[in-house]
């Protein structure tokens, strides 16, 4: 096990040659790594449902100039609040991370950042996120406040349930309703249904991700859908992919405008999930990580078609 006195120059499970390792001042790197700024896929997966929400709102109500700010505010907010969520996750998981080969070089278990420093960093990021949220209107603010309980619970889910990916889905896809509310001033059925479909998507991609740690998780008693599904993961994930596509198809139908464009986006999204399933190898960590990261593309595909449907 890595000594807490070591100060690694990189984090083992971060992408090689990432911008933090190459460009960030040395003093800022531990803090950026604690926020996972060196691996942007998490920010994308938090942001994309927000952009889906804007697309759904534009389909229902037409585009507004304020939508440009909603999209930018969601991007900034996703970066900051994903960082806050990762900081909170690492605070709660610091002892577990120290026992897992892939995570023991992270800033907290390796001793690069103290526990007190991590809490202060968490508060700072949360305050920045609050300032952004306050610009999006009362309905969005209340949606943001409601999401805090989900964010707080998620890191503990793997201790009491085999389905922590469901709790991740609850939290990571909340933005589809928040961004919709920022445009509409309310939450309608369309973003709620889209949230449910996106939860199925999260179970799909995070189960693939969790297969990297299945052996270590078994040794230390951490639960996940990867361990629960085991060798049946490919077959079970087909079901979650189909559920995500079917529920999202219902969600994009509810606004009632430009449905052919929106349905085409859902089908293209589903085709990307199918490509992932064809290439999924549960026992190959590198393949699992590559497929997990590719979900940025599947989310962008759907987001692009929803934007076109909303603007048309």
């Amino acid at each position: 096990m890595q000594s807490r006195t070591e100060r690694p120059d990189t984090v083992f499970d971060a992408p090689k040659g990432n911008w933090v390792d190459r460009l960030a001042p040395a003093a800022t790197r531990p803090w950026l790594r604690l926020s996972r700024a060196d691996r942007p896929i998490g920010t994308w997966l938090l942001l994309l449902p927000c952009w889906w929400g804007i697309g759904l709102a534009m389909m229902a109500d037409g585009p507004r100039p304020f939508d440009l700010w909603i999209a930018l505010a969601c991007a900034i907010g996703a970066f900051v609040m994903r960082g806050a969520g990762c900081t909170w996750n690492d605070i709660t998981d610091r002892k577990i991370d120290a026992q897992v080969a892939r995570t023991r070089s992270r800033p907290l278990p390796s001793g690069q950042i103290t526990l007190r420093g991590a809490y202060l960093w968490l508060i700072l990021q949360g305050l920045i996120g609050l300032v952004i949220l306050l610009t999006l209107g009362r309905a969005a603010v209340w949606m943001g406040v409601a999401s805090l309980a989900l964010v707080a619970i998620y890191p503990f889910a793997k201790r009491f349930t085999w389905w922590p990916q469901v709790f991740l889905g609850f939290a990571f896809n909340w933005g589809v309703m928040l961004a919709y509310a920022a445009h509409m001033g309310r939450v309608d059925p369309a973003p709620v249904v889209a949230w449910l479909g996106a939860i199925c998507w999260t179970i799909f991609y995070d189960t693939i991700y969790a297969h990297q740690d299945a052996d270590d998780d078994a040794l230390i008693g951490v639960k996940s859908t990867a361990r629960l599904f085991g060798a049946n993961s490919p077959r079970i994930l087909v079901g979650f992919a189909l559920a995500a596509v079917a529920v999202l198809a219902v969600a994009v139908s509810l606004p009632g405008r430009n449905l052919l464009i929106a349905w085409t986006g859902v089908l293209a999204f589903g085709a990307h999930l199918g490509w992932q399933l064809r290439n999924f190898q549960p026992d190959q960590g590198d393949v699992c990580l590559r497929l997990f990261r590719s979900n940025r593309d599947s989310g962008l595909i759907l987001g692009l078609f929803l934007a076109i449907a909303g603007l048309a």
Side-chain angles (χ1 to χ4, degrees):
M1 183 178 296
Q2 184 180 41
S3 168
R4 286 184 63 82
T5 61
E6 294 179 13
R7 297 294 185 268
D9 292 329
T10 60
V11 176
F12 177 75
D13 61 338
K16 304 304 180 187
N18 66 79
W19 76 271
V20 173
D21 292 349
R22 292 184 294 106
L23 303 174
T28 68
R29 289 174 190 167
W31 307 97
L32 293 170
R33 290 167 180 158
L34 184 60
S35 297
R36 306 284 201 281
D38 53 355
R39 60 201 83 182
I41 180 58
T43 299
W44 278 111
L45 294 175
L46 187 61
L47 171 61
L48 288 166
C50 300
W51 285 354
W52 296 358
I54 301 170
L56 287 171
M58 291 193 302
M59 288 177 64
D61 186 54
R64 302 179 183 178
F66 187 58
D67 292 331
L68 293 173
W69 169 245
I70 298 174
L72 178 59
C74 286
I76 299 170
F79 178 82
V80 173
M81 295 311 296
R82 187 261 182 148
C86 289
T87 301
W88 173 240
N89 186 78
D90 280 12
I91 288 171
T92 61
D93 281 359
R94 61 192 184 279
K95 294 181 181 179
I96 293 174
D97 286 346
Q99 302 176 62
V100 177
R102 188 176 62 83
T103 58
R104 64 177 56 141
S105 61
R106 290 178 177 176
L108 267 174
S110 66
Q112 297 173 73
I113 290 177
T114 66
L115 183 59
R116 179 176 180 272
Y119 274 113
L120 292 173
W121 184 236
L122 172 64
I123 292 169
L124 176 61
Q125 293 172 100
L127 290 173
I128 295 171
L130 176 60
V131 171
I132 296 295
L133 180 63
L134 290 174
T135 70
L136 296 180
R138 179 177 297 180
V141 169
W142 282 113
M143 291 300 298
V145 171
S147 72
L148 293 178
L150 300 173
V151 174
I153 292 170
Y154 166 67
F156 300 101
K158 56 183 169 289
R159 294 164 170 82
F160 64 80
T161 178
W162 287 101
W163 295 87
Q165 281 69 28
V166 174
F167 287 85
L168 180 67
F170 289 165
F172 249 56
N173 299 295
W174 197 259
V176 69
M177 295 185 288
L178 189 153
Y180 186 98
H183 174 109
M184 297 290 287
R186 65 179 188 271
V187 177
D188 294 324
V192 177
V193 176
W195 178 64
L196 296 174
I199 291 169
C200 296
W201 178 45
T202 299
I203 296 170
F204 175 89
Y205 67 64
D206 204 59
T207 299
I208 293 174
Y209 180 83
H211 269 282
Q212 297 176 91
D213 296 329
D215 291 340
D216 284 330
D217 287 349
L219 289 173
I220 61 181
V222 170
K223 298 178 174 68
S224 72
T225 48
R227 288 189 60 207
L228 178 65
F229 300 162
N232 292 319
S233 279
R235 178 174 56 82
I236 295 173
L237 290 183
V238 169
F240 280 105
L242 291 174
V245 171
V247 177
L248 286 169
V250 172
V252 303
S253 302
L254 293 175
R257 289 181 60 245
N258 299 321
L259 298 186
L260 182 59
I261 298 173
W263 285 337
T264 301
V266 174
L267 289 175
F269 168 84
H272 194 281
L273 300 191
W275 170 83
Q276 292 182 56
L277 287 166
R278 287 194 300 274
N279 290 277
F280 181 37
Q281 300 175 54
D283 58 345
Q284 298 296 318
D286 290 345
V287 174
C288 291
L289 182 59
R290 177 171 60 86
L291 293 177
F292 166 73
R293 289 174 177 162
S294 76
N295 282 279
R296 178 202 65 175
D297 300 335
S298 59
L300 280 171
I301 288 169
L302 179 56
L304 175 62
F305 277 89
L306 292 181
I308 294 170
L311 293 168

